[in-house]
Amino acid sequence: MTIEFSRSRRPRPIRLSAASLVLAVLLSGCQSMDTESLVSSSAPPEISGPAASAIAGDMVSRLAEQIGPGKATVALKSDTSPFGQALEAALKGWGYAVVTDQKTDQGTKVIPLAYVISSVDGQVLARLSTSSVELGRAYSVTAGGATPASALTLMRRG
């Protein structure tokens, strides 16, 4: 007896590609980072303000789920890119104190935060990294903003 399926059960190439890229970005972070240092933050300047704000808002809300909202001071490299500015605004909106080059009091809990934004195959891949958690997600970007194009990827350290 032979059973034939009229529809293929293989994943869609675009969805598989986006998931593979997010996984590759996260795994490359695992290989290049230890718990003492983070990668340098980078974001392409061509991401529009609305798209940068949408991505930063979504990623910070997911970060807050992992480390608690407004419970610490976040150390962020000073950046003039649209995403860097949107990320700082989103962090402050969630109640985090944000320091760039300032010194903090000795008793202040400081969480170093790095990010990488890259464009691949018409999508934008976003990654936020701290010494204890790393988040990644792919986004579809339009002129008016951005929407998640993949599931959130979460990696805990330690």
Side-chain angles (χ1 to χ4, degrees):
M1 173 187 266
T2 303
I3 299 175
E4 293 185 31
F5 293 99
S6 61
R7 300 179 101 189
S8 173
R9 292 186 176 246
R10 294 177 22 188
R12 291 182 180 172
I14 292 173
R15 209 175 256 180
L16 182 60
S17 175
S20 297
L21 289 173
V22 169
L23 183 61
V25 167
L26 291 177
L27 289 177
S28 69
C30 294
Q31 294 170 355
S32 64
M33 292 175 42
D34 59 21
T35 58
E36 299 299 316
S37 63
L38 299 174
V39 296
S40 297
S41 296
S42 65
E46 62 269 7
I47 293 178
S48 70
S53 292
I55 294 168
D58 180 52
M59 292 297 284
V60 170
S61 70
R62 302 307 179 154
L63 179 66
E65 291 173 356
Q66 301 303 314
I67 64 173
K71 295 195 182 224
T73 299
V74 176
L76 188 63
K77 296 266 184 189
S78 181
D79 187 356
T80 59
S81 73
F83 184 79
Q85 293 173 352
L87 182 61
E88 185 173 345
L91 287 164
K92 289 178 179 177
W94 274 86
Y96 294 101
V98 178
V99 295
T100 51
D101 296 326
Q102 304 96 332
K103 299 214 185 261
T104 59
D105 295 334
Q106 230 165 16
T108 304
K109 179 181 175 186
V110 178
I111 300 173
L113 177 67
Y115 61 88
V116 175
I117 304 295
S118 57
S119 298
V120 178
D121 291 338
Q123 293 184 331
V124 172
L125 301 177
R127 181 176 87 182
L128 293 184
S129 304
T130 71
S131 58
S132 63
V133 68
E134 188 163 330
L135 305 170
R137 182 175 251 179
Y139 293 87
S140 295
V141 177
T142 64
T147 56
S150 72
L152 182 74
T153 303
L154 169 66
M155 182 183 73
R156 290 195 172 273
R157 293 187 189 87

